[in-house]
Amino acid sequence: MTGPKSSEALERRRVRAGSGRPRPRGGSRTFNTAPRPWVGSSTPWLYLAPALVVLGGLLAYPVYQLGLISLFHYTQAQVSGGEPTTFEGFGNYAELFGDEQFWQVLLATVVFAAACVVCTLAVGCALAVLLTRVRAVPRLALMLAALGAWATPAITGSTVWLFLFDADFGPVNRVLGLGDHVWTYGRFSAFFLVLLEVVWCSFPFVMVTVYAGIRAVPSEVLEAASLDGASQWRIWRSVLAPMLRPILVVVTIQSVIWDFKVFTQIYVMTGGGGIAGQNLVLNVYAYQQAFASSQYSLGAAIGVVMLLILLAVTLVYLRLLRRQGEEL
């Protein structure tokens, strides 16, 4: 007697005897769904391959060429093909580190970049908190104004700020009653003017990023802190800042990289580095060495030093955060 029950009995006997696995009804084939180790390990690299190829062409090769030029004697004569290039090894770096002006410019760059980063983070975070406190229309107006500043090209923004602080036609001197005071003549006043422009065009990135992070924080947490009597500053310092630390890490590192390699604002607003080079930063100093003095190898060496400094700052910062148990 045959039927569904007899077929199922035969299938169970076959399984007990080890002759095979039960087949699904309808004659469908079974597939091996066991995970393959090589698939899990190589899949992320397959997704990253297009970006790595682009970065290799746009970043790795120029950095390689920069480092190569810094090891040779490369001036206008070599660019024109008049004289062969000679291998200098680390001679260009020895000459650079032996120049007192290089250390002065490096110190000025570090101080200026640190001031820009601190001011940018302070303004951006304060406005991000403000966005959570105002109504829809003021929030939209502030967002549009900030994004307009962010979208303005650096050379355009620098020209506008120069006009605002112009000694003859600028409205700032008239409002403050400074007469014909020239902001770009003094070293510190010129750096302050450039700092204002850098913060103006940089804070929207911090503001938008931190605002998005604040909106992701559960409202119950903020309400509990308010009910406990915490002030707005205490809520930011004890509640929001720890929860937003991964986001603050990102915006801090980005700000350090951007502000350390500022070029356009300094070059345009101080006329190429200020009077007697009093407002030089590393990027402008490298430009002067490479193109104004035709010492391309020295300019390349300055670029390599800047790259190593930024890599060291980023790695140290990430290491400190990992020691604190933060998962980025």
Side-chain angles (χ1 to χ4, degrees), residues 51-62:
L52 293 177
V53 171
V54 174
L55 288 177
L58 298 180
L59 182 63
Y61 181 74

Side-chain angles (χ1 to χ4, degrees), residues 40-60:
S41 61
S42 61
T43 300
W45 292 104
L46 293 177
Y47 286 110
L48 291 175
L52 293 177
V53 171
V54 174
L55 288 177
L58 298 180
L59 182 63

Side-chain angles (χ1 to χ4, degrees), residues 70-123:
S70 69
L71 300 177
F72 285 84
H73 181 71
Y74 210 78
T75 61
Q76 187 61 43
Q78 283 73 37
V79 173
S80 304
E83 296 180 8
T85 57
T86 56
F87 182 73
E88 294 285 341
F90 293 100
N92 292 317
Y93 294 94
E95 179 181 353
L96 184 65
F97 294 149
D99 186 4
E100 184 179 356
Q101 186 182 14
F102 167 75
W103 296 105
Q104 295 175 354
V105 173
L106 177 60
L107 178 61
T109 304
V110 172
V111 174
F112 175 74
C116 289
V117 170
V118 172
C119 294
T120 301
L121 291 177
V123 174

